Amino acid sequence: MNYLTGKQIELRAVEPEDLDALYRWENDSSLWIYGSTVSPFSRYLLKQYIENYTADIARDKQLRLIIMRKESRQVIGAIDCFDYDITNRKAAIGLLIDPGHKRQGFGRDALETFIEYAFRFLHLHQLYVHIPVCNTASIALFRTCEFHESTRLKDWIRLPQGYADALIFQKFNRE
């Protein structure tokens, strides 16, 4: 079984040719509210990141995988696993689908593929995600993939119009 292949997508390690896509995503200020980015990244810094990236989740406590369409081999997003806790077998997850590829099922396919990998190969007990309440599309996606809302964090994220709450969703490996 290939844990990194979904119906429409494949997950793979970050490669040097991903520099342009990473540069575009990391510097799209409209996406910054969904992560913790507060300033742009230079091509130089992203190139260094790619060159030094090990994909060793145990050492780095994080893992970034590129989402690629199977049929065209086109890069369409990234999925991040971070705050990896080997003792408690849990990690946070983040998902980005390029705006030109949203609402085509790629996010769900990538998320389901990553969940399978995280639970069956990495043997994680749980995945969790923080989602701003205004991100209704992500909330719907994670609910569809059987993540359950566990708490609401008040004034958790600073937006241009003020502070917003965030929801924490969890999914447990029941096997």
Side-chain angles (χ1 to χ4, degrees):
M1 171 176 209
N2 184 346
Y3 292 110
L4 300 176
T5 301
K7 295 176 187 118
Q8 304 178 77
I9 61 92
E10 289 180 14
L11 303 177
R12 64 160 175 78
V14 177
E15 297 285 352
E17 59 266 19
D18 299 325
L19 178 61
D20 288 340
L22 290 174
Y23 182 78
R24 188 173 62 253
W25 299 330
E26 294 291 355
N27 289 294
D28 183 346
S29 61
S30 70
L31 301 174
W32 291 356
I33 64 167
Y34 303 116
S36 57
T37 303
V38 294
S39 61
F41 283 88
S42 69
R43 283 189 181 280
Y44 175 76
L45 284 177
L46 289 169
K47 186 176 180 200
Q48 282 188 314
Y49 164 77
I50 292 170
E51 289 172 357
N52 296 315
Y53 185 70
T54 66
D56 184 346
I57 191 170
R59 188 190 85 179
D60 299 333
K61 307 294 184 224
Q62 65 181 13
L63 174 67
R64 173 171 278 185
L65 297 171
I66 296 296
I67 304 166
M68 188 173 61
R69 286 184 75 163
K70 279 199 309 194
E71 66 178 39
S72 66
R73 314 300 289 167
Q74 181 181 17
V75 172
I76 60 169
I79 194 159
D80 292 311
C81 182
F82 57 97
D83 291 340
Y84 174 68
D85 179 344
I86 194 167
T87 302
N88 295 299
R89 311 299 298 168
K90 65 183 176 185
I93 190 171
L95 174 68
L96 179 137
I97 299 296
D98 190 88
H101 295 90
K102 290 186 177 198
R103 305 209 189 289
Q104 298 176 44
F106 298 122
R108 181 176 180 175
D109 194 10
L111 185 55
E112 288 173 344
T113 301
F114 186 81
I115 292 166
E116 184 80 8
Y117 169 73
F119 286 172
R120 293 187 183 259
F121 188 77
L122 297 177
H123 305 289
L124 292 183
H125 171 64
Q126 109 173 247
L127 290 169
Y128 63 94
V129 61
H130 296 82
I131 305 174
V133 294
C134 60
N135 192 344
T136 55
S138 285
I139 290 169
L141 171 64
F142 280 86
R143 281 189 171 138
T144 297
C145 291
E146 300 179 353
F147 278 72
H148 300 282
E149 183 179 335
S150 62
T151 196
R152 183 182 196 107
L153 301 167
K154 299 289 186 187
D155 286 352
W156 197 252
I157 297 169
R158 187 170 58 98
L159 303 174
Q161 62 272 26
Y163 285 88
D165 295 354
L167 301 173
I168 296 179
F169 286 85
Q170 296 172 282
K171 182 173 179 79
F172 296 94
N173 184 355
R174 299 296 182 196
E175 294 180 16

